[in-house]
Amino acid sequence: MNGSATWEVATGTNLAFSTPNYGELNTGSTVGSGVISPMFNDLANGTSQIRFRAKNPFTWSTASLQVGVLSTPGNPGSFVLVATIPLTSTWDEYTVPFPVVPAGFKHIAIRTVAAWSTVNIDDVVYEAQPACLPATAGAATAGAT
């Protein structure tokens, strides 16, 4: 944990994507509060990704997550942003590849963009990237060939 965030395994009224439970991140008063992973020795290889389900449990507010990397858990100021994910009220799946990681960075951090946010997270998987990453942006037009 960093900042004033709390993390709990919840089984409350918001049903988990995969039962029986899910993680609930409450940020408290600190902007950028979140959770920090254990150390991954292969993170700097540029061949890993994180895949997870997340949702905003409250339809009356907006919530976004920032996913990034850290050099050490004790230095949240070393956070390097990789992706910002606006959440919906449904359990959507998100995949964040880490193709370029600064040397010595071995931790993944998931944090919120604003203070006083609550987000639900389930089915977190750290895995190898597929050989061909999906396209992230682009345009194509039909042609004769």
Side-chain angles (χ1 to χ4, degrees), residues 51-66:
R51 187 169 37 91
F52 60 95
R53 298 275 178 167
K55 76 173 192 167
N56 174 6
F58 303 115
T59 56
W60 48 265
S61 70
T62 58
S64 293
L65 290 177
Q66 292 180 328

Side-chain angles (χ1 to χ4, degrees), residues 19-113:
T19 58
N21 50 34
Y22 57 92
E24 184 168 275
L25 172 64
N26 296 297
T27 64
S29 61
T30 305
V31 173
S33 291
V35 293
I36 300 170
S37 75
M39 181 173 32
F40 296 112
N41 283 327
D42 63 342
L43 184 61
N45 294 348
T47 59
S48 302
Q49 67 183 24
I50 188 172
R51 187 169 37 91
F52 60 95
R53 298 275 178 167
K55 76 173 192 167
N56 174 6
F58 303 115
T59 56
W60 48 265
S61 70
T62 58
S64 293
L65 290 177
Q66 292 180 328
V67 179
V69 293
L70 290 173
S71 59
T72 61
N75 184 9
S78 69
F79 180 84
V80 175
L81 179 65
V82 175
T84 300
I85 301 169
L87 299 179
T88 67
S89 61
T90 60
W91 283 110
D92 295 324
E93 183 176 68
Y94 303 98
T95 301
V96 179
F98 300 101
V100 178
V101 176
F105 280 57
K106 297 182 178 187
H107 300 271
I108 297 170
I110 300 175
R111 66 185 198 178
T112 61
V113 175

